[in-house]
Amino acid sequence: QVQVVESGGGLVQPGGSLRLSCAASGSIFSIVTMGWYRQAPGSQRELVATSTAGGSTNYADSVKGRFTISRDNAKSTVYLQMNSLKPEDAAVYYCNIITRARNGVILNFWGQGTQVTVSS
């Protein structure tokens, strides 16, 4: 089993910054993709940013130029640096880890979520 633990959420004023962290641990053979999703009240969960093992990144249009995803493969950790935060960025942010087991099976794991509130 794989454990996924996020941290770094909180309250920030519009225009401010936050850095989210997500660490994966447990029975990890290899990590395929690490990413961040978010879900605001009354909305569906949406992709924020992903980072593949090959180094490719993908961002939602709404966060391009403001958010940066990075990863430390040695620590099985992914980060999300969020700058110039807007009230519409407020949501519960979830970390997603996709792993490949030794037998080739692809597994999908989610963290418990961390709240980001953007308000003055």
Side-chain angles (χ1 to χ4, degrees):
Q1 190 60 282
V2 174
Q3 293 76 45
V4 179
V5 179
E6 303 113 330
S7 61
L11 171 65
V12 64
Q13 293 186 343
S17 298
L18 278 176
R19 188 191 193 209
L20 306 182
S21 300
C22 169
S25 61
S27 302
I28 300 173
F29 179 66
S30 69
I31 294 178
V32 178
T33 302
M34 308 179 83
W36 292 94
Y37 291 71
R38 67 187 181 188
Q39 187 168 18
S43 300
Q44 291 187 333
R45 190 172 297 188
E46 63 178 5
L47 178 146
V48 177
T50 59
S51 172
T52 70
S56 298
T57 57
N58 182 46
Y59 294 92
D61 287 342
S62 59
V63 307
K64 284 180 180 177
R66 300 188 297 122
F67 292 11
T68 302
I69 189 169
S70 61
R71 57 194 284 172
D72 184 335
N73 291 323
K75 296 181 179 180
S76 298
T77 299
V78 63
Y79 306 96
L80 185 69
Q81 178 66 44
M82 304 185 293
N83 298 329
S84 302
L85 281 160
K86 304 175 181 180
E88 52 263 42
D89 293 318
V92 178
Y93 282 69
Y94 295 92
C95 179
N96 175 250
I97 306 293
I98 299 175
T99 69
R100 179 179 290 110
R102 191 176 299 272
N103 62 6
V105 173
I106 300 298
L107 303 170
N108 194 23
F109 300 96
W110 293 92
Q112 80 285 355
T114 185
Q115 178 71 50
V116 172
T117 303
V118 185
S119 175
S120 55

